[in-house]
PDB file of all heavy atoms in Angstrom:
ATOM      1  N   VAL A   1     146.053  77.157 141.485  1.00  0.00           N
ATOM      2  CA  VAL A   1     145.205  77.748 140.445  1.00  0.00           C
ATOM      3  C   VAL A   1     145.545  77.125 139.094  1.00  0.00           C
ATOM      4  O   VAL A   1     144.659  76.830 138.292  1.00  0.00           O
ATOM      5  CB  VAL A   1     145.358  79.288 140.419  1.00  0.00           C
ATOM      6  CG1 VAL A   1     144.714  79.894 139.188  1.00  0.00           C
ATOM      7  CG2 VAL A   1     144.761  79.891 141.675  1.00  0.00           C
ATOM      8  N   GLY A   2     146.826  76.887 138.846  1.00  0.00           N
ATOM      9  CA  GLY A   2     147.241  76.230 137.611  1.00  0.00           C
ATOM     10  C   GLY A   2     146.711  74.815 137.498  1.00  0.00           C
ATOM     11  O   GLY A   2     146.328  74.362 136.418  1.00  0.00           O
ATOM     12  N   VAL A   3     146.674  74.099 138.606  1.00  0.00           N
ATOM     13  CA  VAL A   3     146.127  72.736 138.609  1.00  0.00           C
ATOM     14  C   VAL A   3     144.630  72.768 138.334  1.00  0.00           C
ATOM     15  O   VAL A   3     144.116  71.987 137.528  1.00  0.00           O
ATOM     16  CB  VAL A   3     146.432  72.028 139.951  1.00  0.00           C
ATOM     17  CG1 VAL A   3     145.659  70.740 140.086  1.00  0.00           C
ATOM     18  CG2 VAL A   3     147.923  71.761 140.078  1.00  0.00           C
ATOM     19  N   VAL A   4     143.924  73.691 138.980  1.00  0.00           N
ATOM     20  CA  VAL A   4     142.479  73.803 138.771  1.00  0.00           C
ATOM     21  C   VAL A   4     142.168  74.231 137.338  1.00  0.00           C
ATOM     22  O   VAL A   4     141.175  73.803 136.743  1.00  0.00           O
ATOM     23  CB  VAL A   4     141.861  74.779 139.800  1.00  0.00           C
ATOM     24  CG1 VAL A   4     140.415  75.087 139.475  1.00  0.00           C
ATOM     25  CG2 VAL A   4     141.971  74.197 141.206  1.00  0.00           C
ATOM     26  N   ALA A   5     143.041  75.043 136.752  1.00  0.00           N
ATOM     27  CA  ALA A   5     142.821  75.509 135.379  1.00  0.00           C
ATOM     28  C   ALA A   5     142.826  74.360 134.380  1.00  0.00           C
ATOM     29  O   ALA A   5     142.273  74.495 133.282  1.00  0.00           O
ATOM     30  CB  ALA A   5     143.879  76.542 135.001  1.00  0.00           C
ATOM     31  N   MET A   6     143.410  73.243 134.749  1.00  0.00           N
ATOM     32  CA  MET A   6     143.425  72.092 133.849  1.00  0.00           C
ATOM     33  C   MET A   6     142.034  71.500 133.658  1.00  0.00           C
ATOM     34  O   MET A   6     141.801  70.752 132.720  1.00  0.00           O
ATOM     35  CB  MET A   6     144.386  71.018 134.369  1.00  0.00           C
ATOM     36  CG  MET A   6     145.833  71.457 134.395  1.00  0.00           C
ATOM     37  SD  MET A   6     146.447  72.054 132.825  1.00  0.00           S
ATOM     38  CE  MET A   6     146.334  70.606 131.833  1.00  0.00           C
ATOM     39  N   ALA A   7     141.090  71.828 134.521  1.00  0.00           N
ATOM     40  CA  ALA A   7     139.722  71.324 134.393  1.00  0.00           C
ATOM     41  C   ALA A   7     138.881  72.196 133.465  1.00  0.00           C
ATOM     42  O   ALA A   7     137.790  71.803 133.066  1.00  0.00           O
ATOM     43  CB  ALA A   7     139.058  71.246 135.765  1.00  0.00           C
ATOM     44  N   LEU A   8     139.390  73.348 133.102  1.00  0.00           N
ATOM     45  CA  LEU A   8     138.636  74.282 132.269  1.00  0.00           C
ATOM     46  C   LEU A   8     138.835  73.975 130.789  1.00  0.00           C
ATOM     47  O   LEU A   8     139.848  73.396 130.393  1.00  0.00           O
ATOM     48  CB  LEU A   8     139.075  75.715 132.573  1.00  0.00           C
ATOM     49  CG  LEU A   8     138.903  76.161 134.028  1.00  0.00           C
ATOM     50  CD1 LEU A   8     139.504  77.539 134.214  1.00  0.00           C
ATOM     51  CD2 LEU A   8     137.448  76.137 134.433  1.00  0.00           C
ATOM     52  N   PRO A   9     137.877  74.378 129.955  1.00  0.00           N
ATOM     53  CA  PRO A   9     138.066  74.173 128.515  1.00  0.00           C
ATOM     54  C   PRO A   9     139.241  75.002 127.997  1.00  0.00           C
ATOM     55  O   PRO A   9     139.582  76.037 128.545  1.00  0.00           O
ATOM     56  CB  PRO A   9     136.755  74.677 127.897  1.00  0.00           C
ATOM     57  CG  PRO A   9     135.838  74.999 129.016  1.00  0.00           C
ATOM     58  CD  PRO A   9     136.608  74.965 130.292  1.00  0.00           C
ATOM     59  N   GLY A  10     139.867  74.507 126.931  1.00  0.00           N
ATOM     60  CA  GLY A  10     140.999  75.200 126.352  1.00  0.00           C
ATOM     61  C   GLY A  10     142.311  74.859 127.015  1.00  0.00           C
ATOM     62  O   GLY A  10     143.300  75.563 126.839  1.00  0.00           O
ATOM     63  N   ARG A  11     142.336  73.787 127.775  1.00  0.00           N
ATOM     64  CA  ARG A  11     143.571  73.392 128.459  1.00  0.00           C
ATOM     65  C   ARG A  11     144.604  72.913 127.437  1.00  0.00           C
ATOM     66  O   ARG A  11     144.258  72.409 126.369  1.00  0.00           O
ATOM     67  CB  ARG A  11     143.291  72.322 129.492  1.00  0.00           C
ATOM     68  CG  ARG A  11     142.731  71.054 128.923  1.00  0.00           C
ATOM     69  CD  ARG A  11     142.438  70.061 130.050  1.00  0.00           C
ATOM     70  NE  ARG A  11     141.718  68.928 129.509  1.00  0.00           N
ATOM     71  CZ  ARG A  11     140.455  68.651 129.777  1.00  0.00           C
ATOM     72  NH1 ARG A  11     139.776  69.422 130.599  1.00  0.00           N
ATOM     73  NH2 ARG A  11     139.877  67.611 129.257  1.00  0.00           N
ATOM     74  N   PRO A  12     145.901  73.058 127.762  1.00  0.00           N
ATOM     75  CA  PRO A  12     146.940  72.641 126.821  1.00  0.00           C
ATOM     76  C   PRO A  12     146.971  71.117 126.667  1.00  0.00           C
ATOM     77  O   PRO A  12     146.599  70.388 127.583  1.00  0.00           O
ATOM     78  CB  PRO A  12     148.229  73.160 127.449  1.00  0.00           C
ATOM     79  CG  PRO A  12     147.912  73.379 128.875  1.00  0.00           C
ATOM     80  CD  PRO A  12     146.446  73.638 128.968  1.00  0.00           C
ATOM     81  N   GLN A  13     147.406  70.687 125.518  1.00  0.00           N
ATOM     82  CA  GLN A  13     147.511  69.253 125.250  1.00  0.00           C
ATOM     83  C   GLN A  13     148.986  68.873 125.206  1.00  0.00           C
ATOM     84  O   GLN A  13     149.798  69.662 124.766  1.00  0.00           O
ATOM     85  CB  GLN A  13     146.824  68.910 123.927  1.00  0.00           C
ATOM     86  CG  GLN A  13     145.327  69.120 123.937  1.00  0.00           C
ATOM     87  CD  GLN A  13     144.604  68.232 124.929  1.00  0.00           C
ATOM     88  OE1 GLN A  13     144.995  67.098 125.168  1.00  0.00           O
ATOM     89  NE2 GLN A  13     143.547  68.755 125.536  1.00  0.00           N
ATOM     90  N   PRO A  14     149.390  67.759 125.625  1.00  0.00           N
ATOM     91  CA  PRO A  14     148.653  66.713 126.325  1.00  0.00           C
ATOM     92  C   PRO A  14     148.420  67.132 127.775  1.00  0.00           C
ATOM     93  O   PRO A  14     149.359  67.398 128.516  1.00  0.00           O
ATOM     94  CB  PRO A  14     149.572  65.501 126.226  1.00  0.00           C
ATOM     95  CG  PRO A  14     150.947  66.070 126.138  1.00  0.00           C
ATOM     96  CD  PRO A  14     150.798  67.388 125.415  1.00  0.00           C
ATOM     97  N   TRP A  15     147.191  67.198 128.180  1.00  0.00           N
ATOM     98  CA  TRP A  15     146.855  67.749 129.481  1.00  0.00           C
ATOM     99  C   TRP A  15     147.332  66.917 130.660  1.00  0.00           C
ATOM    100  O   TRP A  15     147.665  67.482 131.701  1.00  0.00           O
ATOM    101  CB  TRP A  15     145.365  68.060 129.587  1.00  0.00           C
ATOM    102  CG  TRP A  15     144.461  66.878 129.597  1.00  0.00           C
ATOM    103  CD1 TRP A  15     143.875  66.277 128.533  1.00  0.00           C
ATOM    104  CD2 TRP A  15     144.042  66.151 130.748  1.00  0.00           C
ATOM    105  NE1 TRP A  15     143.122  65.221 128.935  1.00  0.00           N
ATOM    106  CE2 TRP A  15     143.202  65.112 130.302  1.00  0.00           C
ATOM    107  CE3 TRP A  15     144.292  66.257 132.110  1.00  0.00           C
ATOM    108  CZ2 TRP A  15     142.619  64.192 131.159  1.00  0.00           C
ATOM    109  CZ3 TRP A  15     143.711  65.345 132.971  1.00  0.00           C
ATOM    110  CH2 TRP A  15     142.882  64.335 132.481  1.00  0.00           C
ATOM    111  N   PRO A  16     147.429  65.572 130.596  1.00  0.00           N
ATOM    112  CA  PRO A  16     147.933  64.859 131.783  1.00  0.00           C
ATOM    113  C   PRO A  16     149.369  65.254 132.150  1.00  0.00           C
ATOM    114  O   PRO A  16     149.707  65.363 133.324  1.00  0.00           O
ATOM    115  CB  PRO A  16     147.859  63.388 131.385  1.00  0.00           C
ATOM    116  CG  PRO A  16     146.805  63.330 130.329  1.00  0.00           C
ATOM    117  CD  PRO A  16     146.947  64.613 129.580  1.00  0.00           C
ATOM    118  N   VAL A  17     150.200  65.492 131.141  1.00  0.00           N
ATOM    119  CA  VAL A  17     151.583  65.882 131.413  1.00  0.00           C
ATOM    120  C   VAL A  17     151.621  67.257 132.076  1.00  0.00           C
ATOM    121  O   VAL A  17     152.331  67.474 133.055  1.00  0.00           O
ATOM    122  CB  VAL A  17     152.417  65.871 130.108  1.00  0.00           C
ATOM    123  CG1 VAL A  17     153.808  66.430 130.352  1.00  0.00           C
ATOM    124  CG2 VAL A  17     152.490  64.471 129.547  1.00  0.00           C
ATOM    125  N   HIS A  18     150.836  68.185 131.558  1.00  0.00           N
ATOM    126  CA  HIS A  18     150.790  69.527 132.148  1.00  0.00           C
ATOM    127  C   HIS A  18     150.227  69.475 133.567  1.00  0.00           C
ATOM    128  O   HIS A  18     150.704  70.191 134.457  1.00  0.00           O
ATOM    129  CB  HIS A  18     149.941  70.460 131.279  1.00  0.00           C
ATOM    130  CG  HIS A  18     150.584  70.806 129.983  1.00  0.00           C
ATOM    131  ND1 HIS A  18     151.640  71.690 129.891  1.00  0.00           N
ATOM    132  CD2 HIS A  18     150.347  70.379 128.719  1.00  0.00           C
ATOM    133  CE1 HIS A  18     152.020  71.791 128.642  1.00  0.00           C
ATOM    134  NE2 HIS A  18     151.250  71.005 127.899  1.00  0.00           N
ATOM    135  N   LEU A  19     149.226  68.636 133.772  1.00  0.00           N
ATOM    136  CA  LEU A  19     148.646  68.493 135.106  1.00  0.00           C
ATOM    137  C   LEU A  19     149.684  67.955 136.090  1.00  0.00           C
ATOM    138  O   LEU A  19     149.797  68.449 137.214  1.00  0.00           O
ATOM    139  CB  LEU A  19     147.418  67.580 135.060  1.00  0.00           C
ATOM    140  CG  LEU A  19     146.710  67.345 136.385  1.00  0.00           C
ATOM    141  CD1 LEU A  19     146.149  68.648 136.936  1.00  0.00           C
ATOM    142  CD2 LEU A  19     145.600  66.315 136.217  1.00  0.00           C
ATOM    143  N   MET A  20     150.459  66.974 135.653  1.00  0.00           N
ATOM    144  CA  MET A  20     151.480  66.406 136.540  1.00  0.00           C
ATOM    145  C   MET A  20     152.577  67.435 136.845  1.00  0.00           C
ATOM    146  O   MET A  20     153.042  67.514 137.984  1.00  0.00           O
ATOM    147  CB  MET A  20     152.074  65.153 135.913  1.00  0.00           C
ATOM    148  CG  MET A  20     151.080  63.994 135.854  1.00  0.00           C
ATOM    149  SD  MET A  20     151.727  62.564 135.010  1.00  0.00           S
ATOM    150  CE  MET A  20     152.729  61.865 136.294  1.00  0.00           C
ATOM    151  N   ARG A  21     152.968  68.211 135.852  1.00  0.00           N
ATOM    152  CA  ARG A  21     153.991  69.242 136.090  1.00  0.00           C
ATOM    153  C   ARG A  21     153.481  70.305 137.053  1.00  0.00           C
ATOM    154  O   ARG A  21     154.198  70.756 137.941  1.00  0.00           O
ATOM    155  CB  ARG A  21     154.405  69.882 134.773  1.00  0.00           C
ATOM    156  CG  ARG A  21     155.261  68.991 133.923  1.00  0.00           C
ATOM    157  CD  ARG A  21     155.665  69.672 132.648  1.00  0.00           C
ATOM    158  NE  ARG A  21     156.420  68.755 131.824  1.00  0.00           N
ATOM    159  CZ  ARG A  21     156.495  68.837 130.517  1.00  0.00           C
ATOM    160  NH1 ARG A  21     155.865  69.820 129.878  1.00  0.00           N
ATOM    161  NH2 ARG A  21     157.198  67.982 129.831  1.00  0.00           N
ATOM    162  N   ARG A  22     152.247  70.718 136.854  1.00  0.00           N
ATOM    163  CA  ARG A  22     151.682  71.729 137.759  1.00  0.00           C
ATOM    164  C   ARG A  22     151.469  71.164 139.159  1.00  0.00           C
ATOM    165  O   ARG A  22     151.665  71.863 140.152  1.00  0.00           O
ATOM    166  CB  ARG A  22     150.382  72.267 137.176  1.00  0.00           C
ATOM    167  CG  ARG A  22     150.624  73.095 135.938  1.00  0.00           C
ATOM    168  CD  ARG A  22     149.369  73.562 135.296  1.00  0.00           C
ATOM    169  NE  ARG A  22     149.676  74.303 134.074  1.00  0.00           N
ATOM    170  CZ  ARG A  22     148.782  74.947 133.373  1.00  0.00           C
ATOM    171  NH1 ARG A  22     147.508  74.960 133.746  1.00  0.00           N
ATOM    172  NH2 ARG A  22     149.130  75.587 132.278  1.00  0.00           N
ATOM    173  N   GLY A  23     151.077  69.923 139.234  1.00  0.00           N
ATOM    174  CA  GLY A  23     150.941  69.274 140.546  1.00  0.00           C
ATOM    175  C   GLY A  23     152.282  69.153 141.249  1.00  0.00           C
ATOM    176  O   GLY A  23     152.378  69.314 142.474  1.00  0.00           O
ATOM    177  N   ALA A  24     153.334  68.889 140.480  1.00  0.00           N
ATOM    178  CA  ALA A  24     154.680  68.799 141.058  1.00  0.00           C
ATOM    179  C   ALA A  24     155.117  70.143 141.622  1.00  0.00           C
ATOM    180  O   ALA A  24     155.685  70.219 142.722  1.00  0.00           O
ATOM    181  CB  ALA A  24     155.675  68.318 140.001  1.00  0.00           C
ATOM    182  N   SER A  25     154.822  71.221 140.890  1.00  0.00           N
ATOM    183  CA  SER A  25     155.204  72.542 141.402  1.00  0.00           C
ATOM    184  C   SER A  25     154.373  72.919 142.634  1.00  0.00           C
ATOM    185  O   SER A  25     154.877  73.544 143.559  1.00  0.00           O
ATOM    186  CB  SER A  25     155.090  73.610 140.314  1.00  0.00           C
ATOM    187  OG  SER A  25     153.764  73.736 139.878  1.00  0.00           O
ATOM    188  N   LEU A  26     153.110  72.503 142.652  1.00  0.00           N
ATOM    189  CA  LEU A  26     152.265  72.744 143.829  1.00  0.00           C
ATOM    190  C   LEU A  26     152.821  72.015 145.049  1.00  0.00           C
ATOM    191  O   LEU A  26     152.955  72.600 146.128  1.00  0.00           O
ATOM    192  CB  LEU A  26     150.828  72.298 143.546  1.00  0.00           C
ATOM    193  CG  LEU A  26     149.868  72.266 144.732  1.00  0.00           C
ATOM    194  CD1 LEU A  26     149.675  73.656 145.299  1.00  0.00           C
ATOM    195  CD2 LEU A  26     148.536  71.675 144.312  1.00  0.00           C
ATOM    196  N   ALA A  27     153.165  70.748 144.886  1.00  0.00           N
ATOM    197  CA  ALA A  27     153.696  69.968 146.007  1.00  0.00           C
ATOM    198  C   ALA A  27     155.031  70.539 146.484  1.00  0.00           C
ATOM    199  O   ALA A  27     155.284  70.617 147.697  1.00  0.00           O
ATOM    200  CB  ALA A  27     153.851  68.506 145.604  1.00  0.00           C
ATOM    201  N   ALA A  28     155.880  70.948 145.561  1.00  0.00           N
ATOM    202  CA  ALA A  28     157.183  71.506 145.943  1.00  0.00           C
ATOM    203  C   ALA A  28     157.025  72.820 146.703  1.00  0.00           C
ATOM    204  O   ALA A  28     157.699  73.047 147.723  1.00  0.00           O
ATOM    205  CB  ALA A  28     158.042  71.718 144.696  1.00  0.00           C
ATOM    206  N   ALA A  29     156.134  73.677 146.240  1.00  0.00           N
ATOM    207  CA  ALA A  29     155.930  74.959 146.932  1.00  0.00           C
ATOM    208  C   ALA A  29     155.312  74.748 148.313  1.00  0.00           C
ATOM    209  O   ALA A  29     155.687  75.427 149.273  1.00  0.00           O
ATOM    210  CB  ALA A  29     155.038  75.873 146.090  1.00  0.00           C
ATOM    211  N   ALA A  30     154.390  73.801 148.428  1.00  0.00           N
ATOM    212  CA  ALA A  30     153.786  73.517 149.732  1.00  0.00           C
ATOM    213  C   ALA A  30     154.815  72.930 150.690  1.00  0.00           C
ATOM    214  O   ALA A  30     154.852  73.293 151.874  1.00  0.00           O
ATOM    215  CB  ALA A  30     152.598  72.572 149.568  1.00  0.00           C
ATOM    216  N   ALA A  31     155.671  72.036 150.190  1.00  0.00           N
ATOM    217  CA  ALA A  31     156.730  71.464 151.037  1.00  0.00           C
ATOM    218  C   ALA A  31     157.694  72.547 151.502  1.00  0.00           C
ATOM    219  O   ALA A  31     158.088  72.577 152.673  1.00  0.00           O
ATOM    220  CB  ALA A  31     157.484  70.373 150.277  1.00  0.00           C
ATOM    221  N   ALA A  32     158.057  73.446 150.608  1.00  0.00           N
ATOM    222  CA  ALA A  32     158.962  74.538 150.975  1.00  0.00           C
ATOM    223  C   ALA A  32     158.331  75.458 152.010  1.00  0.00           C
ATOM    224  O   ALA A  32     159.001  75.916 152.939  1.00  0.00           O
ATOM    225  CB  ALA A  32     159.354  75.338 149.731  1.00  0.00           C
ATOM    226  N   SER A  33     157.041  75.714 151.885  1.00  0.00           N
ATOM    227  CA  SER A  33     156.346  76.577 152.839  1.00  0.00           C
ATOM    228  C   SER A  33     156.332  75.963 154.236  1.00  0.00           C
ATOM    229  O   SER A  33     156.635  76.628 155.228  1.00  0.00           O
ATOM    230  CB  SER A  33     154.919  76.833 152.361  1.00  0.00           C
ATOM    231  OG  SER A  33     154.220  77.620 153.284  1.00  0.00           O
ATOM    232  N   ILE A  34     156.000  74.690 154.309  1.00  0.00           N
ATOM    233  CA  ILE A  34     155.951  74.016 155.616  1.00  0.00           C
ATOM    234  C   ILE A  34     157.343  73.919 156.231  1.00  0.00           C
ATOM    235  O   ILE A  34     157.537  74.174 157.423  1.00  0.00           O
ATOM    236  CB  ILE A  34     155.309  72.625 155.478  1.00  0.00           C
ATOM    237  CG1 ILE A  34     153.812  72.785 155.165  1.00  0.00           C
ATOM    238  CG2 ILE A  34     155.499  71.798 156.735  1.00  0.00           C
ATOM    239  CD1 ILE A  34     153.114  71.507 154.812  1.00  0.00           C
ATOM    240  N   TYR A  35     158.334  73.562 155.420  1.00  0.00           N
ATOM    241  CA  TYR A  35     159.693  73.446 155.947  1.00  0.00           C
ATOM    242  C   TYR A  35     160.219  74.800 156.409  1.00  0.00           C
ATOM    243  O   TYR A  35     160.862  74.891 157.455  1.00  0.00           O
ATOM    244  CB  TYR A  35     160.632  72.835 154.897  1.00  0.00           C
ATOM    245  CG  TYR A  35     162.006  72.622 155.457  1.00  0.00           C
ATOM    246  CD1 TYR A  35     162.270  71.533 156.284  1.00  0.00           C
ATOM    247  CD2 TYR A  35     163.027  73.518 155.212  1.00  0.00           C
ATOM    248  CE1 TYR A  35     163.521  71.349 156.836  1.00  0.00           C
ATOM    249  CE2 TYR A  35     164.278  73.347 155.753  1.00  0.00           C
ATOM    250  CZ  TYR A  35     164.527  72.258 156.567  1.00  0.00           C
ATOM    251  OH  TYR A  35     165.766  72.088 157.125  1.00  0.00           O
ATOM    252  N   ALA A  36     159.960  75.854 155.643  1.00  0.00           N
ATOM    253  CA  ALA A  36     160.424  77.190 156.037  1.00  0.00           C
ATOM    254  C   ALA A  36     159.803  77.620 157.356  1.00  0.00           C
ATOM    255  O   ALA A  36     160.471  78.209 158.209  1.00  0.00           O
ATOM    256  CB  ALA A  36     160.112  78.206 154.944  1.00  0.00           C
ATOM    257  N   LEU A  37     158.533  77.318 157.541  1.00  0.00           N
ATOM    258  CA  LEU A  37     157.855  77.656 158.795  1.00  0.00           C
ATOM    259  C   LEU A  37     158.527  76.953 159.979  1.00  0.00           C
ATOM    260  O   LEU A  37     158.832  77.575 160.999  1.00  0.00           O
ATOM    261  CB  LEU A  37     156.378  77.275 158.704  1.00  0.00           C
ATOM    262  CG  LEU A  37     155.468  77.747 159.809  1.00  0.00           C
ATOM    263  CD1 LEU A  37     155.402  79.263 159.832  1.00  0.00           C
ATOM    264  CD2 LEU A  37     154.075  77.171 159.612  1.00  0.00           C
ATOM    265  N   GLY A  38     158.806  75.663 159.835  1.00  0.00           N
ATOM    266  CA  GLY A  38     159.476  74.918 160.899  1.00  0.00           C
ATOM    267  C   GLY A  38     160.914  75.337 161.102  1.00  0.00           C
ATOM    268  O   GLY A  38     161.396  75.422 162.236  1.00  0.00           O
TER     269      GLY A  38
END
C-alpha cells in the first residue's frame, strides 16, 4: 500500500528514494513470509 501510495498526488519528495525504501520493506516482508512458511 505504501508503494502504491507513491503514485498518488502529494507524495513525499524526493519520491524515488521513498519508493525504493518502501519497495525494500515490501521485498523484505515478502521474503520473511515465504521463508517462515517453509
Side-chain angles (χ1 to χ4, degrees):
V1 169
V3 169
V4 171
M6 296 305 296
L8 301 174
R11 61 182 172 249
Q13 294 297 326
W15 68 269
V17 173
H18 290 286
L19 180 63
M20 291 176 79
R21 287 181 183 154
R22 291 176 183 187
S25 63
L26 170 63
S33 178
I34 291 172
Y35 184 78
L37 190 64

